[in-house]
Amino acid sequence: MGFDEMVESLKEILDSRYLCNRCTGRLFAQLLTSTSNKERGIAIKTFLAMEIDAKELKIKGCSYKNINFRYAKISCKDKEKCDICNNIFDKINEYALRISKILESYEFKTFLIGVIPSNEMIKKEEELWENIGVEYAEPIKEELSREIGKELLKIMPDKEVDFSKPDITIVIDFQKNRITKKVRSLYIYGKYNKYKEMPQTTWLCSYCHGTGCEKCNFTGRKYEESVQDLIEEIILNQTKGVTTKFHGAGREDIDALCHGWREFVIEVEEPKIRTIDVKALENEINKKNKGKIEVKDLTLVSKEKVKEVKNKRQNKIYEAEIECEKDIKKDDAKRVEELLNNKIIAQQTPSRVQHRRADLVRERKVFYVRFLKIEGKKAKIEVKTEAGTYIKELVSGDEGRTRPSLSSILQNKCKVNKLIVKGFEDEENS
Ligand SMILES: [Zn+2]
Ligand SMILES: [Zn+2]
């Protein structure tokens, strides 16, 4: 449809209903891009008003006396409502004020406004486009979000609009008459050590799922402490966030310790404070949790770091205290070291994790096993293996599910009493 035809269609439309200046101008939004929809609307209406005055155009309800009002800034009847927007643009300031109240308690630099128009608005706008064409049109949701955003900037001049990664996104739903906000999470990277037996992440009580009951002594947790719980407590206190998600580069068993600095990213959801002193945070966590956990290298990172940390495949170095049924002979220990040096072992999913992992036989590389100390039935060993190797089973053999194992080579039934992760090594460097 050409421009002239569009204007002809507009005349017909205006004969039966009222459109405000913005809704009129928005039909031509792609033309004269440096003007606003309001200016476009006024321009077209003024032009039509001249046609009416020249008696070349008749529009119902518009006599020569009131046309200026009808077509320029105001409608001829004071209370006339725009057929598309129901004069919602008159309330932009009201919406901006409501939003600024919601955002009052949040620290942020950038924001983005999103709008969900009412079904009525969408239906009417689509009807209009069917008659007049969409060549130059702009959807109402775009103008609404832009104008409310501009208004908000007048109230909060130190903020900025960010289309890709805003600190806060505000969605105004005109259908449900509801304003919601989404606060971008904060991501803090770091490394932790674990000196006490505990799970890595929050482990909720299986009876009450976190609300607290007699079974869990009203803690809501199966294990009272976890690495996440201890770090989270202090981080939430500083950021005034709601909750956290813990993303570790793998995890050790509850009863295993970590002295090798495992990487993690903790995600703080809905933080009210975004400027944080990570060094002070680190000190506070370490001071409060002496003997339990320790963190280092805390840094604010972007969301992408989560994937990077979670997808890490690292070779690991462990120290294990083992105990066997019979005394361990020095020669047998030597044989273990020789036979497992740079050896691929077959490891079927351990019986203890079978309920949550597919039952498969996986091949894993053992780089070395070294006996550091042998004392009768007990020994201390150091093991370096590929990511995903189960160390307890490498020692016990898991009823023949891990082959070979220390138990099978020693011909002695052995188990791990204590396991410590001593180091991590990124796979590509090995
Ligand atoms: Zn309107
Ligand atoms: Zn409980």
Side-chain angles (χ1 to χ4, degrees):
M1 203 180 284
F3 180 76
D4 283 345
E5 286 170 280
M6 285 179 71
V7 175
E8 288 309 310
S9 307
L10 179 64
K11 289 174 186 172
E12 274 172 42
I13 287 159
L14 291 176
D15 199 32
S16 61
R17 64 199 111 154
Y18 169 69
L19 297 184
C20 74
N21 292 325
R22 284 180 191 275
C23 291
T24 306
R26 207 166 51 249
L27 294 163
F28 302 92
Q30 313 296 324
L31 301 172
L32 302 181
T33 47
S34 61
T35 34
S36 70
N37 287 331
K38 197 173 168 183
E39 286 169 325
R40 288 183 195 98
I42 290 171
I44 288 173
K45 285 185 174 189
T46 309
F47 173 76
L48 295 182
M50 286 190 235
E51 273 201 316
I52 292 173
D53 201 12
K55 310 255 182 315
E56 283 173 26
L57 172 65
K58 268 193 178 158
I59 297 271
K60 213 191 299 165
C62 284
S63 73
Y64 145 77
K65 282 182 183 154
N66 62 16
I67 47 172
N68 288 334
F69 298 106
R70 172 108 189 167
Y71 281 96
K73 285 177 182 141
I74 319 163
S75 86
C76 34
K77 290 167 221 155
D78 266 357
K79 281 176 189 161
E80 201 142 16
K81 292 268 187 194
C82 171
D83 195 49
I84 305 296
C85 72
N86 213 8
N87 296 4
I88 200 81
F89 287 96
D90 293 346
K91 291 188 182 156
I92 280 177
N93 179 259
E94 221 174 275
Y95 279 102
L97 278 171
R98 267 171 75 187
I99 292 165
S100 72
K101 283 269 177 310
I102 294 171
L103 300 184
E104 228 166 34
S105 52
Y106 290 86
E107 181 202 339
F108 67 102
K109 277 200 195 86
T110 59
F111 70 91
L112 186 64
I113 303 273
V115 161
I116 301 170
S118 68
N119 296 340
E120 178 87 4
M121 283 182 207
I122 295 173
K123 200 178 121 225
K124 293 242 169 122
E125 187 173 57
E126 279 172 358
E127 273 173 24
L128 196 62
W129 289 345
E130 269 170 38
N131 290 317
I132 207 165
V134 289
E135 282 94 330
Y136 304 121
E138 181 191 34
I140 188 167
K141 64 183 253 181
E142 281 176 31
E143 183 169 20
L144 269 175
S145 40
R146 183 175 61 241
E147 293 305 317
I148 296 171
K150 276 172 101 181
E151 203 62 29
L152 192 60
L153 282 174
K154 284 185 203 159
I155 305 170
M156 308 177 138
D158 56 328
K159 310 298 182 196
E160 276 170 45
V161 175
D162 184 338
F163 291 95
S164 61
K165 238 189 205 174
D167 293 338
I168 300 191
T169 307
I170 302 108
V171 175
I172 308 150
D173 187 332
F174 285 97
Q175 179 63 27
K176 294 180 178 144
N177 191 24
R178 199 170 59 187
I179 299 177
T180 49
K181 60 161 185 352
K182 195 171 184 302
V183 183
R184 191 161 56 84
S185 294
L186 274 181
Y187 299 87
I188 301 167
Y189 164 89
K191 293 173 184 161
Y192 77 81
N193 271 352
K194 189 178 103 181
Y195 304 123
K196 199 186 148 191
E197 292 184 10
M198 66 177 90
Q200 183 190 61
T201 52
T202 304
W203 196 319
L204 295 180
C205 166
S206 51
Y207 297 95
C208 66
H209 303 283
T211 52
C213 68
E214 268 174 33
K215 292 259 184 198
C216 62
N217 237 334
F218 299 95
T219 58
R221 281 157 165 74
K222 180 167 176 168
Y223 293 88
E224 212 171 312
E225 290 177 333
S226 69
V227 177
Q228 178 179 10
D229 287 322
L230 298 177
I231 298 175
E232 171 188 89
E233 189 194 352
I234 289 155
I235 288 190
L236 286 185
N237 191 32
Q238 273 220 18
T239 58
K240 307 287 176 235
V242 172
T243 178
T244 70
K245 280 195 187 126
F246 196 91
H247 312 280
R251 59 169 67 202
E252 60 281 327
D253 289 337
I254 294 171
D255 60 2
L257 307 181
C258 177
H259 294 178
W261 299 109
R262 189 185 292 276
E263 291 178 82
F264 70 92
V265 175
I266 190 163
E267 176 180 350
V268 185
E269 296 189 314
E270 290 186 56
K272 284 201 162 97
I273 297 165
R274 308 188 76 88
T275 312
I276 49 170
D277 180 346
V278 284
K279 198 68 211 164
L281 201 62
E282 193 174 302
N283 291 339
E284 203 184 330
I285 293 168
N286 292 340
K287 206 171 137 194
K288 177 121 194 243
N289 295 295
K290 244 189 185 106
K292 292 181 182 174
I293 60 155
E294 195 177 350
V295 296
K296 71 169 188 180
D297 298 344
L298 293 192
T299 329
L300 278 167
V301 290
S302 66
K303 188 183 180 179
E304 286 67 42
K305 190 80 179 172
V306 172
K307 228 190 206 162
E308 189 197 311
V309 164
K310 287 200 90 159
N311 290 343
K312 243 176 200 191
R313 281 188 60 84
Q314 292 169 309
N315 302 323
K316 290 175 192 85
I317 300 157
Y318 296 90
E319 191 180 284
E321 286 176 16
I322 66 168
E323 186 177 352
C324 305
E325 278 183 351
K326 300 173 283 182
D327 281 358
I328 304 162
K329 291 181 202 126
K330 275 224 166 89
D331 285 352
D332 287 345
K334 257 236 143 49
R335 254 166 50 87
V336 169
E337 291 184 352
E338 280 164 17
L339 285 172
L340 287 177
N341 190 39
N342 281 319
K343 176 98 181 178
I344 303 290
I345 60 160
Q347 197 156 54
Q348 192 175 350
T349 308
S351 40
R352 68 188 163 97
V353 298
Q354 235 176 12
H355 61 284
R356 56 191 164 91
R357 296 268 160 84
D359 191 16
L360 295 171
V361 177
R362 297 177 184 85
E363 293 200 326
R364 295 289 185 234
K365 182 165 183 180
V366 176
F367 294 94
Y368 63 76
V369 175
R370 283 183 201 135
F371 278 80
L372 306 175
K373 197 162 87 185
I374 302 172
E375 266 176 1
K377 293 173 186 170
K378 292 184 177 179
K380 191 188 264 184
I381 59 170
E382 188 178 282
V383 186
K384 181 178 168 186
T385 60
E386 178 190 347
T389 313
Y390 295 101
I391 302 304
K392 288 175 184 169
E393 284 69 20
L394 173 63
V395 171
S396 72
D398 195 21
E399 312 283 330
R401 297 167 72 87
T402 292
R403 292 174 306 271
S405 66
L406 267 71
S407 293
S408 72
I409 298 169
L410 291 170
Q411 294 193 309
N412 201 343
K413 214 171 172 190
C414 308
K415 63 177 170 95
V416 170
N417 280 343
K418 191 174 174 186
L419 188 63
I420 304 171
V421 190
K422 297 288 275 190
F424 301 86
E425 191 183 274
D426 286 350
E427 244 176 24
E428 57 268 25
N429 304 330
S430 65

